[in-house]
Structures are given as C-alpha cells and as structure tokens.
Amino acid sequence: MEIKKSKYKSFWQYFVVYKTKMPVLFIILIVITLITIWSFSMMYYGAILQRDSSMGGFRQSIHYSLKSNINIPINYIKGLLSIQRGKHISIDIKHKDYQKLAYNRLKAYKEGVIVESEYFPARLTFDNVEYKIGVRLSGRALDHINNEKWSLRIKMKNKKTLFGMRKFNLLHPKVRNGLYEWFCHQISNYEGLISLKTDFVSVSINGKDKGVYFLEESFDKYLVERNRHREGIIFKPLTPELHIYQKEKILSDFSLKKQLSLLDKLFDSFINGQLPAHKIFDVKKTAKYFAITDLVNGFHQLARENMHWYFNPLSGRIEPIGREWGVRPYIPLTELSGELINGQFIGDRGIINEKIFSDEIFFTKYKEELERISDASYLDDFFEKNSAEIESNLVMIYKDHPYFHFEKEYFYNNQNFIRNKIYPKDPLKFYLEETA
C-alpha cells in the first residue's frame, strides 16, 4: 500500500498557505487566550504589589513619569552631573549582624509587618569621622523593605550626635513621597511649629552604593531643643493610654514624671469633655497645623494612631508635631479638616479632632489661619525663600529617580479650593447644600 505524502514540507508552510482560510473562531480563541493570560498576570502582579505595600509607590511612579515626560532624560543628566553636597554617609555592618537584619526582613514578610527589634552594632562614617551606632529596620509597612534599599533606624552611641540628632531614620525617598514630606516639614518650620529635621543624603553600606536616602529625625529631647523648646513629653494619643516616647527616662526624672502626671490628668479631662480644647492645646499653633494639613492635603497624620504631640512644660499647652503627611499630588483636595468628614475623623480615630473643632475659640482661629494660608502670596513667598534648597534636593532625587516630578501647582490648586470653601461664589447655594 502506498502512503500518500503531503505536499507541504512543514506545518508552517501549511499555515501560510491556508491562513486566509483559518476559521474565525480559532482566531477569537487565540485572542481570548492571550487576554486571559494577560489578565491573570496583571492580577498576580497586583497581588504582589498589594502584599509588598507597593501599590502606592507604583501609582506614584506612573504619575510622576507622565508628568515629567520629556524632562526625564534632562533630570537624569542633572543628577548625573550634580556636584556632591558633601553629605555622604558610609555604614559598615559585620556580616553576622547584617544577616540578622536580613532575617528580620524575611520575618516581616511572613508576618506582613515590620516588627521592632533590637539594634545591631555598626559603624557610621561621615566627613572622615567614625561613629559607633546601633542599626535596625525602620517602619511598619513592607514598602520600607521591598527592594534593596531598606529603611533603617540609626541610634548614635556614646552620647554622640550627627547633624544634631541622636536617633534618625534613613528611608527610601518613595516612602515619603520624594520631596513632598520634606516640603511639609519646611512649611511647618516656616510657621514656627515643631518640625523634624529632614534632608537627602547618599548612603553606602559595606562599601556598596545604595543611592539617595531620605533622612528623618526621630522623637527625643534633641528634636524639642533644636526647635528652641524646653525638654518635655512627646506622645501619641493612643488608647487605652497615651504612648509616651522615652517613657523609662521620663519616669526616672522627677520633673518629667511630674509633667507626665499633669498631662495624664489634663488629657483625660479633655477626652471626657470636662476641659475645652483651648484650655489644653496651643490654639494658634494647632490652628496653623490643621490649616497646613488642608493646604498639603495631608490627612494621613490626623488619625489618632498617627498623631504626635508635645506637652510644653512652660505654657502648660499641647503643641502639634507633623509627620508622615502622606501627600499624593494625584489625589485632589476635596474637603477641609474643619468639615470632619475625612475617613481619619470617623469614630475613635477622630475623636480628638472632633473635640478640638467643637471648640468655638479654636474654630475661629482655624478659619483665620485658612484665610491667611490660602492667599496666593503665601506660597509665592515660601517658594521664593526656599527655591535654592528645593532645586538642590530635587537634583539629589534625580540621581536615582529622574522621573520624579514636584508639582507646585498642586498646592496652588489646594489654595483655590480652600478659598472657594471659605468664600463661596454663591453663598445661598452653599448654605442650602450645607443644610440639606
């Protein structure tokens, strides 16, 4: 029996000859298969981003890249050719201690959160001077450790300081939104509020260049004294009791322990409604704090668990300390603190804000600060006085992140929103909407 041979030498020759006759359903099947594969890949990638707390950073990168556009190569060249400002930190960690840091990182991935650990010994060199330090992972969310640039907490030993600080964080700039967190602290300082010292520095670890880090001061007496205040109590208003920074030291000091006792009594009276806000909070500084929060759209720090306060032993008043403002320039301002409708003001998370804003004396001052801070000349003056440092820090950021884009217009837009809220174009319509 003779087997008839095919006239086609290969499948591909057959495919080419008969491609025009290929059933439409087969083509549709291929398209559906490709779309399904792509969809599942995106879902998997999204799950990874969510697990690593990277979704926000991913969205940031997309937004900044679209905004920077053709300036990305220009920014890259700026960063490449920039002259080092002299702030380079070198850290050396013994191999066994570095492995402990790495183990804590893996442990954080298993538990879904970074757990505070002991400090590991290391050496820090700056400007040819060597210091003994302790180092551990910093932060809570996994975005602090989801790449090779881990966030670190540094503790200087032997009563030494660096840049006037005993404790500070070295963070990936993305977890503080590039220049935006620095901007918020500068505004706070500009307004005479207690503000953390922040900067951008280049870092190497065990001889390996790690690029640019965001340097952020921690909470201790050095922060207070650098802001020209007397040593006092820094706290977070948690439940069932206040979280006190350096509590062991405070309890061992008679004067500070006495301050803590007074603070506990005053704050309990405030929470229980026995003491109005203007009797315990520095009204002017607190009003500025909330007005700045509106200007930058930084509501993240207003949840009870994210707040930081200082009890001034001289005035007997509580003053705000802003931190982790969480500015997202791709999220428009849609409400003001005083409206008490933000998610950070709901339930127990917002009970402090609710009680503060229910005080008429405070609320009047808050409106005055909104009027002042929403004037266009306010930002004009600020940017003019800080333009050189803004540009210098941007160049530092461009070294690692040339796609980053700092949007001044975002804050001017927020000013417009604030003005439209306090000076509505149609007062009658505004009134009807508010009372509906």
Side-chain angles (χ1 to χ4, degrees):
M1 178 178 176
E2 184 179 355
I3 300 175
K4 187 177 180 180
K5 295 183 178 180
S6 172
K7 62 180 178 179
Y8 305 109
K9 296 181 178 179
S10 69
F11 167 78
W12 293 111
Q13 186 180 9
Y14 174 85
F15 178 80
V16 170
V17 172
Y18 284 91
K19 64 180 179 178
T20 57
K21 299 180 181 180
M22 184 178 292
V24 174
L25 289 178
F26 185 64
I27 296 176
I28 293 175
L29 180 62
I30 292 177
V31 172
I32 291 175
T33 302
L34 292 175
I35 291 175
T36 302
I37 294 173
W38 181 84
S39 299
F40 277 103
S41 298
M42 291 299 101
M43 289 173 62
Y44 175 77
Y45 183 58
I48 294 296
L49 290 175
Q50 192 67 35
R51 183 202 68 181
D52 295 352
S53 302
S54 300
M55 193 65 75
F58 179 73
R59 188 176 179 183
Q60 280 183 48
S61 299
I62 296 297
H63 174 80
Y64 296 148
S65 297
L66 292 174
K67 285 286 184 177
S68 295
N69 205 344
I70 61 173
N71 288 322
I72 294 177
I74 298 174
N75 294 341
Y76 177 76
I77 293 173
K78 281 184 179 180
L80 201 63
L81 300 180
S82 66
I83 300 174
Q84 188 61 256
R85 295 186 300 161
K87 291 187 178 179
H88 175 79
I89 292 175
S90 176
I91 298 174
D92 292 289
I93 311 171
K94 289 183 179 179
H95 178 72
K96 65 176 183 179
D97 293 316
Y98 189 84
Q99 292 303 308
K100 292 176 183 177
L101 278 177
Y103 170 76
N104 285 342
R105 177 174 180 258
L106 291 176
K107 184 178 178 182
Y109 270 102
K110 290 181 180 179
E111 299 187 9
V113 65
I114 300 172
V115 179
E116 187 173 314
S117 71
E118 73 274 22
Y119 285 92
F120 303 113
R123 289 178 292 113
L124 182 152
T125 303
F126 172 74
D127 200 19
N128 295 320
V129 179
E130 186 177 288
Y131 303 89
K132 290 184 178 181
I133 63 169
V135 59
R136 63 173 174 83
L137 297 179
S138 180
R140 292 278 293 170
L142 298 182
D143 58 344
H144 284 277
I145 55 172
N146 63 9
N147 54 52
E148 291 303 310
K149 190 184 289 188
W150 306 344
S151 291
L152 303 173
R153 167 67 64 85
I154 305 297
K155 181 179 181 180
M156 306 294 290
K157 292 185 177 181
N158 302 325
K159 298 183 178 180
K160 299 291 185 180
T161 62
L162 185 67
F163 311 132
M165 299 177 291
R166 283 288 302 279
K167 291 189 293 184
F168 56 90
N169 297 318
L170 292 173
L171 310 172
H172 194 303
K174 71 175 182 180
V175 302
R176 292 294 186 264
N177 309 305
L179 192 67
Y180 289 102
E181 182 77 6
W182 175 89
F183 170 84
C184 294
H185 287 292
Q186 291 301 110
I187 285 275
S188 293
N189 183 63
Y190 187 68
E191 286 297 324
L193 305 182
I194 296 176
S195 59
L196 305 186
K197 182 179 181 62
T198 58
D199 203 353
F200 293 90
V201 297
S202 60
V203 177
S204 62
I205 298 178
N206 291 342
K208 184 176 181 180
D209 181 23
K210 292 292 184 176
V212 175
Y213 274 76
F214 180 71
L215 182 147
E216 177 189 77
E217 187 173 12
S218 189
F219 297 99
D220 56 22
K221 75 167 191 172
Y222 292 90
L223 162 65
V224 173
E225 292 174 349
R226 187 181 56 77
N227 281 273
R228 299 176 296 281
H229 284 60
R230 179 173 293 184
E231 182 179 8
I233 297 167
I234 300 175
F235 68 98
K236 296 176 73 171
L238 303 182
T239 55
E241 61 181 21
L242 303 179
H243 172 79
I244 308 298
Y245 284 87
Q246 297 185 301
K247 189 172 184 178
E248 289 184 7
K249 177 186 176 183
I250 289 171
L251 293 177
S252 64
D253 184 286
F254 176 78
S255 177
L256 292 173
K257 186 177 180 180
K258 192 174 180 180
Q259 289 180 37
L260 178 57
S261 178
L262 176 60
L263 172 63
D264 279 332
K265 292 177 182 178
L266 291 174
F267 205 82
D268 281 344
S269 296
F270 166 70
I271 291 295
N272 294 328
Q274 300 167 338
L275 194 66
H278 72 270
K279 291 289 187 179
I280 183 173
F281 290 90
D282 186 306
V283 172
K284 184 175 182 179
K285 291 183 177 180
T286 305
K288 286 183 176 183
Y289 168 69
F290 280 102
I292 292 172
T293 298
D294 293 336
L295 176 65
V296 303
N297 196 7
F299 290 103
H300 173 264
Q301 57 165 341
L302 295 186
R304 186 171 186 167
E305 66 272 17
N306 296 331
M307 284 182 156
H308 295 85
W309 300 90
Y310 159 74
F311 183 55
N312 190 322
L314 297 182
S315 66
R317 295 290 190 270
I318 294 173
E319 301 181 20
I321 307 176
R323 179 177 180 264
E324 287 193 76
W325 305 76
V327 177
R328 301 288 194 273
Y330 43 82
I331 300 178
L333 179 63
T334 58
E335 66 223 42
L336 300 181
S337 302
E339 296 179 281
L340 298 176
I341 58 177
N342 187 273
Q344 310 292 14
F345 298 134
I346 296 175
D348 187 62
R349 300 184 83 198
I351 189 172
I352 294 172
N353 303 310
E354 183 181 341
K355 289 183 176 296
I356 289 176
F357 279 100
S358 66
D359 188 306
E360 291 185 10
I361 293 177
F362 167 79
F363 198 83
T364 298
K365 190 62 182 176
Y366 165 68
K367 289 193 292 185
E368 291 176 3
E369 291 301 326
L370 281 180
E371 291 174 357
R372 182 180 63 86
I373 212 167
S374 64
D375 190 291
S377 63
Y378 177 84
L379 281 177
D380 290 341
D381 293 341
F382 175 83
F383 283 124
E384 182 179 355
K385 292 177 181 178
N386 292 274
S387 60
E389 196 167 3
I390 288 174
E391 183 60 28
S392 177
N393 284 329
L394 280 174
V395 169
M396 284 287 288
I397 294 172
Y398 292 156
K399 290 182 178 181
D400 291 348
H401 311 284
Y403 56 83
F404 179 76
H405 180 72
F406 182 64
E407 297 179 51
K408 292 182 181 180
E409 61 272 21
Y410 177 71
F411 302 107
Y412 284 102
N413 291 337
N414 290 348
Q415 280 188 322
N416 289 332
F417 179 85
I418 294 171
R419 285 196 299 272
N420 289 334
K421 276 287 186 178
I422 58 181
Y423 306 119
K425 294 179 180 179
D426 188 344
L428 179 60
K429 180 181 177 182
F430 178 77
Y431 172 77
L432 292 174
E433 288 177 350
E434 290 293 300
T435 56

